[in-house]
Amino acid sequence: MTVLERMGIRAEIEERAARAGAMTYVKESGRLAATTSTEAFSGELEILRGDLVDILSERTAGTTEYIFDDSIAELSQDDSGVDVVFAGGVTRRFDLVIGADGLHSNVRRLAFGPESSYVRDLGYYASICTVDNHLGLDHSGQILNVPGKTVGIYSARNNTEAKALFYFASDPLAYDRRDADAQKAIVAERFAGIGWEVPTLLDGLRTAPDFYFDSVSQVELDSYSRGRVALVGDAGYCASPLSGMGTSLAVVGAYVLAGELHAAGGDHVKAFAAYDIRMKGFVVACQKQAVDGAKWFVPASKWFIKVRDLTFRLMPYLPWRNMIRDMSLKVGNAIELRTYEDRRPRRAVPLP
Ligand SMILES: Cc1cc2nc3c(=O)[nH]c(=O)nc-3n(C[C@H](O)[C@H](O)[C@H](O)COP(=O)(O)OP(=O)(O)OC[C@H]3O[C@@H](n4cnc5c(N)ncnc54)[C@H](O)[C@@H]3O)c2cc1C
């Protein structure tokens, strides 16, 4: 929240906040099992990823060059810069390359080595897609757990649509990351035979306009840079969807990286070293939250589902009723944010 304020975009994000609301846990019969508060599920402020991307790209369109439908094919660096060969065939030279290309980062593969050296699976898969809000959910959601599986639906975009989510525990699966139909078939197979609204949600999954499927994984690196190439966000320190902190990590990481480069007057060696030191503890705290949270979000046994539901039912009456919110706030604030004073005149260079 502090970074959003310093960037001057907090109000805009609040305007477009998802306002997901409270989550209800249901049984296979549809009967209510427990409810969690808005803050427990959505934190202080929630926005759909695409809406955040729109705000950031609109704000930077005049001063940042965006190239779409291309990718980096080769990187080679020397003492004064990095030569980048784009997949489209063009070669350009840059002072620094910052990879912000997600869990399966291409920049990380090129500069740090193969993904298998840095990506750790937590033992789950996640899928999410847009479906009809057929239950008429009003800024709220419903979740069903069966051992090792979580399936749910929550309203989005002012109740005009809904998001269906599917999580399941699994050993690593071999599948084609470009074949959405094959991935949908995996989800359908894992959730076949489960009652409640699951058949309708699986129908929605088959025809969804968008679709996400991936392992729930974390990225562990000793340092977030190699020479003149650095990583930010999921590429460098993915905490996984189960952390609920991925966007905070990415936004805070970008702020710290930019700030340290500014403070070091562009000396990337100094700045990247400070970036590592400042981010490390925050990354560890956010990643730990995912490992701890997984047991609660995708309970492994019927017994633990009962314990979890009972805990949530009792929670409003217990002295530690705000525990989930407080824990998340503690993790979210587990970094001291420097103010990077701008002593030199600010010069935003407009693109030609
Ligand atoms: C199901 C789910 C639920 C989540 N829930 C939450 C939550 O509640 N709260 C939270 O804070 N976080 C959540 N997260 C995590 C959050 O979405 C990520 O941590 C965040 O988006 C990371 O931002 P990023 O910019 O580092 O990477 P990404 O958002 O993954 O963006 C990477 C970008 O790089 C592009 N790209 C990838 N490869 C290439 C390439 N070779 N060439 C060019 N471009 C490329 C991609 O198209 C993409 O645009 C969730 C994630 C998932 C999957």
Side-chain angles (χ1 to χ4, degrees):
M1 303 298 270
T2 310
V3 171
L4 299 183
E5 264 159 35
R6 290 183 191 170
M7 288 173 76
I9 56 171
R10 179 168 170 171
E12 208 173 330
I13 290 181
E14 275 171 354
E15 242 170 60
R16 290 165 79 168
R19 298 185 225 304
M23 261 313 157
T24 300
Y25 287 89
V26 295
K27 301 183 182 197
E28 236 179 306
S29 62
R31 276 182 47 218
L32 176 81
T35 304
T36 56
S37 65
T38 301
E39 300 82 40
F41 212 83
S42 306
E44 278 175 290
L45 175 60
E46 192 176 47
I47 183 164
L48 293 178
R49 181 187 171 285
D51 290 348
L52 176 63
V53 169
D54 282 348
I55 293 172
L56 295 175
S57 62
E58 280 158 19
R59 286 290 188 111
T60 52
T63 50
T64 305
E65 178 188 1
Y66 286 99
I67 302 167
F68 291 103
D69 298 324
D70 209 340
S71 186
I72 295 174
E74 280 174 47
L75 286 175
S76 54
Q77 50 177 312
D78 54 38
D79 287 347
S80 60
V82 191
D83 289 317
V84 175
V85 181
F86 286 89
V90 175
T91 300
R92 286 173 65 178
R93 188 167 173 85
F94 299 91
D95 294 330
L96 303 171
V97 171
I98 311 297
D101 47 353
L103 171 61
H104 301 290
S105 170
N106 181 43
V107 172
R108 187 185 59 223
R109 181 178 57 78
L110 292 169
F112 291 67
E115 180 165 312
S116 55
S117 311
Y118 309 108
V119 174
R120 180 168 73 102
D121 282 354
L122 295 188
Y124 304 91
Y125 282 82
S127 180
I128 188 160
C129 63
T130 300
V131 292
D132 289 341
N133 183 5
H134 74 284
L135 295 176
L137 295 166
D138 180 7
H139 295 96
S140 61
Q142 298 188 358
I143 285 180
L144 166 72
N145 282 108
V146 296
K149 289 173 194 163
T150 300
V151 50
I153 174 170
Y154 58 93
S155 59
R157 296 199 197 282
N158 244 340
N159 305 328
T160 56
E161 60 182 41
K163 305 287 173 191
L165 61 87
F166 304 85
Y167 282 76
F168 59 91
S170 170
D171 289 332
L173 299 170
Y175 63 93
D176 180 352
R177 284 197 47 233
R178 303 273 159 206
D179 187 346
D181 287 340
Q183 295 163 26
K184 288 181 180 182
I186 294 173
V187 179
E189 191 251 315
R190 295 284 170 148
F191 286 84
I194 302 176
W196 182 56
E197 297 292 332
V198 177
T200 311
L201 296 180
L202 288 175
D203 282 345
L205 173 89
R206 272 178 214 110
T207 53
D210 51 14
F211 172 69
Y212 172 92
F213 179 82
D214 208 340
S215 61
V216 175
S217 306
Q218 296 188 331
V219 173
E220 290 175 354
L221 287 172
D222 53 348
S223 164
Y224 310 124
S225 65
R226 293 285 187 272
R228 289 179 168 269
V229 181
L231 301 171
V232 78
D234 277 8
Y237 29 78
C238 179
S240 89
L242 288 177
S243 151
M245 295 302 299
T247 309
S248 300
L249 265 173
V251 170
V252 168
Y255 171 85
V256 173
L257 179 56
E260 292 300 333
L261 277 166
H262 175 74
D267 176 345
H268 71 279
V269 176
K270 212 167 146 193
F272 288 171
Y275 172 54
D276 277 353
I277 292 168
R278 291 194 177 276
M279 288 300 291
K280 205 78 205 179
F282 187 42
V283 169
V284 168
C286 294
Q287 292 192 333
K288 182 174 180 306
Q289 175 145 297
V291 177
D292 297 344
K295 295 178 205 120
W296 290 79
F297 191 63
V298 195
S301 65
K302 277 189 180 170
W303 175 83
F304 199 82
I305 294 171
K306 281 193 175 143
V307 171
R308 196 267 323 263
D309 290 347
L310 183 65
T311 309
F312 283 159
R313 282 204 299 275
L314 292 175
M315 197 77 102
Y317 311 102
L318 299 174
W320 52 89
R321 64 179 72 91
N322 295 323
M323 186 180 76
I324 301 177
R325 187 200 64 188
D326 293 348
M327 268 169 25
S328 293
L329 279 176
K330 197 172 160 200
V331 172
N333 289 308
I335 181 164
E336 202 180 316
L337 289 173
R338 259 185 88 182
T339 45
Y340 298 96
E341 271 182 51
D342 205 350
R343 291 196 194 88
R344 288 167 303 172
R346 181 178 286 274
R347 196 166 57 93
V349 185
L351 293 172

